[in-house]
Amino acid sequence: MSFNNLDMLYRQVIMDHYKNPRNRGAIEDGVTVNLNNPTCGDTLRLQLQIEDDIVKDAKFEGEGCSISIASASMMTQIIKGKTVEEALQLANIFSEMVQGKEYDADTFDLDDIEALSGVSKFPARIKCATLAWKALEKGVDEDA
Amino acid sequence: MLNASIREQFPILNQEINGHPLVYLDSAASSQKPLAVIEAIEDYYRRNHSNVHRGVHTLGTQATDAYEGARERVRSFIHATVPEEIIFTRGTTTAINLVASSYGDANVNEGDEIVLTPMEHHANLIPWQQLAKRRGATLRFVELTPDGRVTLDAVESVLSDRTKIVAMSHVSNVLGTINPIADVARLAHEVGAVMVVDAAQSAPHRKLDVQALDCDFLAFSGHKMLGPTGIGVLYGKKQLLKNMEPVEFGGEMIDYVDLYESTWKDLPYRFEAGTPIIAGAVGLAAAIDFLEEIGLENVEAHERELASYAIEQMKTIEGIEIYGPEDRVGLVTFNLKDVHAHDLATVLDMQGIAVRAGHHCAQPLMRLLKQSSTARASFYVYNTKEEVDRFIEGLRQTKEYFNYEF
Ligand SMILES: Cc1ncc(COP(=O)(O)O)c(C=O)c1O
């Protein structure tokens, strides 16, 4: 059986982030956001350490499918060292990308996260990919 | 096995999904509809529709006859004593909420207890949580056996003279467990409590007899039993319904209206405020006809056979874990080791196979199983052995995909 679309979804990078998530763990004193995906039971705890408007550290814990875990892992990697505003810009770009819309691929080096663009072919899974980014938006909002 | 020609009655099944013939294994979430049901609704709108219980004109009478005919059809389906005991609702959820708000608020007081199980669907949990909060009552949970069954000993140990309500699913939507409702109802009555049954997963699959069960309230949804969405049933013993206050007010449910005071119609109308779900009731009656034509015993036997065949095959796939007891109705909840249920469902979907993945609206039970998410395949009258074979092959392909691709 051929699984072309699936291969787009489950690219090697994604499975690598799923099996070896980066930045898994806790931060002593950061902003904490707990988010659930109520349709499937995925849970995510994102912790952010924001200093002088810069994301100094980001860590997560959670239970979820390959897409939601890989997305959280990739996100914590890419937002570290970015300003809060840049992180939010990235959240927008990511959201447009996974919805299959035109997205800005030039402002930032998107790195691994572009591997998740295949999600746009699987509407039922977009929520899995955006969970971590929703948590980021919420966390930044709470920090403000 | 049922005759495979039954399948031809379901037009939606005759299509390809992602390039493969559809294998629909998610009937426990919502079943598909036979032509007889689709046509009954169409015919109603083409020839008989009007508002009910109002007009003097002929169409008004035809619509009223269709609606009340459906009520009688439901009465005989669940063997209730009189049609006044049948209240049409939007579904199981609305029906249980009605009992909690009306009977519950009037009869549950501070210090009283409501007995549930940890396997309840959120629809049979949260209305009771809210009632307990409003009234200062306490929820008590029956402890399940490790394989997910309810025993009478476990029920007895949480019952007391403080128990006012026992609410339990007839069949679990996750484990497929069949609960001993008649015995639990007897125990509930011994301590003076009423028995509320969530029959959402039993009404579609087995013969129901509310008098034999001796339950006080029973709720189910049309859409899980070949009927349309938006229609469901609350059965209540007349003796109890008679003394209950409505929870919604407006047209259709009133007797005499004055500017400051009004009085209510008799049963069952006082619980059906506003223009009712007429076409839904007509569709549900057609669904009941369809099921009874096949025979509920045959429906149940067919699904059990498919489920045992599936389980037997699944056991040959290493890494599949199956949840729930041996004796079960036609559904299998499972996980494939190291593959999240969501990922599994996506890969099956790419092969045209629809299964459910997630917490199945039973988060506390998921925690008990120590799973954040599981996959579920559920079978109904239109499923075949060949489809089970496709499902098994799909599982093998999925396993291989996640093992070797990366
Ligand atoms: C056991 C059980 N109870 C209640 C419900 C709720 O039914 P509805 O959503 O039709 O109100 C369901 C359906 O998912 C169910 O499986």
Side-chain angles (χ1 to χ4, degrees):
Chain A
M1 192 157 313
S2 107
F3 285 126
N4 288 339
N5 266 341
L6 273 185
D7 292 340
M8 287 286 291
L9 181 67
Y10 296 112
R11 306 263 279 271
Q12 198 131 19
V13 243
I14 295 173
M15 293 316 278
D16 176 47
H17 276 272
Y18 176 48
K19 291 190 169 150
N20 315 291
R22 328 290 200 264
N23 301 310
R24 195 163 200 154
I27 296 174
E28 281 289 304
D29 46 8
V31 195
T32 303
V33 185
N34 289 297
L35 265 198
N36 303 316
N37 184 345
T39 57
C40 63
D42 284 3
T43 58
L44 180 82
R45 187 192 66 191
L46 176 70
Q47 292 192 299
L48 299 168
Q49 191 189 354
I50 299 173
E51 273 169 33
D52 303 329
D53 231 29
I54 290 185
V55 183
K56 280 271 167 2
D57 200 3
K59 284 205 168 13
F60 79 100
E61 272 299 348
E63 288 255 15
C65 61
S66 59
I67 305 298
S68 69
I69 296 296
S71 181
S73 165
M74 293 173 184
M75 181 192 80
T76 50
Q77 261 190 333
I78 199 167
I79 61 172
K80 260 199 240 180
K82 299 274 192 305
T83 66
V84 168
E85 202 191 315
E86 288 170 334
L88 289 177
Q89 250 178 300
L90 275 163
N92 266 331
I93 295 173
F94 184 80
S95 163
E96 280 170 359
M97 180 185 83
V98 294
Q99 289 178 63
K101 297 184 186 161
E102 290 261 326
Y103 65 95
D104 169 7
D106 307 323
T107 309
F108 300 99
D109 180 1
L110 292 179
D111 254 344
D112 289 357
I113 70 170
E114 270 192 304
L116 280 168
S117 63
V119 171
S120 66
K121 297 273 189 312
F122 295 82
R125 305 298 300 278
I126 294 173
K127 276 207 192 104
C128 313
T130 51
L131 184 66
W133 291 92
K134 290 260 150 54
L136 169 71
E137 286 172 342
K138 201 165 164 219
V140 166
D141 203 42
E142 273 168 24
D143 188 58
Chain B
M1 298 297 291
L2 293 176
N3 193 317
S5 68
I6 285 180
R7 194 185 163 77
E8 290 157 20
Q9 300 293 311
F10 294 80
I12 200 171
L13 297 176
N14 183 26
Q15 65 173 306
E16 293 206 336
I17 298 283
N18 296 317
H20 303 275
L22 168 64
V23 175
Y24 186 73
L25 301 181
D26 195 20
S27 298
S30 198
S31 73
Q32 301 300 352
K33 321 301 171 200
L35 279 171
V37 168
I38 299 169
E39 282 164 4
I41 296 168
E42 182 179 336
D43 186 60
Y44 167 75
Y45 278 127
R46 280 180 181 275
R47 303 188 322 128
N48 296 322
H49 175 69
S50 172
N51 215 323
V52 292
H53 305 306
R54 287 184 186 170
V56 177
H57 55 71
T58 305
L59 275 184
T61 308
Q62 283 173 211
T64 305
D65 287 351
Y67 185 62
E68 293 307 323
R71 197 188 306 278
E72 169 54 27
R73 201 69 199 77
V74 172
R75 182 207 65 75
S76 74
F77 177 63
I78 63 173
H79 200 218
T81 327
V82 286
E84 289 91 313
E85 297 184 318
I86 306 300
I87 296 158
F88 284 121
T89 69
R90 204 159 59 76
T92 309
T93 305
T94 325
I96 295 172
N97 273 284
L98 196 164
V99 178
S101 306
S102 176
Y103 183 87
D105 274 59
N107 293 284
V108 174
N109 294 303
E110 190 159 342
D112 286 346
E113 293 181 352
I114 301 165
V115 167
L116 307 167
T117 81
M119 71 165 82
E120 298 313 314
H121 186 281
H122 298 162
N124 196 30
L125 169 62
I126 303 168
W128 307 118
Q129 285 178 354
Q130 294 302 105
L131 170 64
K133 280 186 199 151
R134 287 196 300 276
R135 306 298 303 169
T138 309
L139 301 184
R140 300 285 306 271
F141 289 91
V142 176
E143 197 178 326
L144 303 180
T145 61
D147 66 347
R149 285 175 302 112
V150 167
T151 63
L152 297 182
D153 282 348
V155 174
E156 255 184 313
S157 73
V158 290
L159 289 177
S160 74
D161 54 9
R162 290 185 299 278
T163 315
K164 289 294 175 303
I165 293 174
V166 178
M168 195 178 283
S169 48
H170 195 183
V171 167
S172 157
N173 65 314
V174 177
L175 303 171
T177 326
I178 304 151
N179 289 324
I181 295 297
D183 292 325
V184 177
R186 182 174 44 76
L187 296 177
H189 293 151
E190 277 170 15
V191 298
V194 295
M195 180 78 212
V196 182
V197 182
D198 172 354
Q201 295 294 347
S202 58
H205 310 289
R206 30 185 17 228
K207 193 131 191 56
L208 275 184
D209 183 334
V210 290
Q211 293 183 60
L213 293 174
D214 196 22
C215 53
D216 300 288
F217 299 99
L218 178 136
F220 58 95
S221 301
H223 70 95
K224 292 184 196 283
M225 49 185 288
L226 310 180
T229 56
I231 184 85
V233 171
L234 173 65
Y235 157 83
K237 278 186 187 159
K238 193 173 168 189
Q239 238 8 63
L240 294 166
L241 289 176
K242 219 171 60 182
N243 297 315
M244 280 161 53
E245 277 294 303
V247 291
E248 286 189 326
F249 306 89
E252 303 273 4
M253 52 80 65
I254 39 78
D255 176 31
Y256 179 81
V257 178
D258 200 2
L259 280 181
Y260 297 102
E261 285 291 333
S262 301
T263 56
W264 320 139
K265 259 191 196 156
D266 287 337
L267 291 176
Y269 308 110
R270 73 166 71 159
F271 293 108
E272 295 179 357
T275 299
I277 317 149
I278 314 168
V282 168
L284 176 58
I288 291 174
D289 286 342
F290 191 92
L291 285 171
E292 291 197 333
E293 179 84 11
I294 301 173
L296 269 298
E297 314 76 38
N298 300 329
V299 171
E300 186 178 351
H302 178 75
E303 294 163 9
R304 276 179 183 268
E305 197 173 332
L306 289 178
S308 359
Y309 179 61
I311 290 173
E312 195 182 298
Q313 301 290 310
M314 288 165 84
K315 283 184 176 158
T316 66
I317 304 175
E318 205 194 322
I320 295 256
E321 188 174 16
I322 296 172
Y323 309 101
E326 285 293 317
D327 183 33
R328 59 168 77 216
V329 296
L331 61 84
V332 191
T333 294
F334 64 98
N335 263 325
L336 177 57
K337 195 167 171 285
D338 295 332
V339 179
H340 190 276
H342 253 179
D343 295 318
L344 173 70
T346 291
V347 181
L348 287 176
D349 185 51
M350 291 313 288
Q351 304 168 70
I353 303 162
V355 300
R356 177 83 188 268
H359 55 56
H360 315 289
C361 295
Q363 292 188 24
L365 180 59
M366 288 294 125
R367 267 165 234 137
L368 219 63
L369 297 174
K370 299 194 172 56
Q371 302 296 320
S372 66
S373 174
T374 58
R376 178 185 71 192
S378 51
F379 308 101
Y380 210 7
V381 288
Y382 34 71
N383 291 120
T384 63
K385 251 183 159 153
E386 291 69 44
E387 286 183 306
V388 175
D389 291 335
R390 286 264 317 276
F391 166 61
I392 298 296
E393 180 53 26
L395 287 177
R396 289 190 197 284
Q397 295 272 354
T398 308
K399 185 177 166 187
E400 201 165 309
Y401 184 77
F402 282 108
N403 272 356
Y404 297 114
E405 211 72 14
F406 311 101

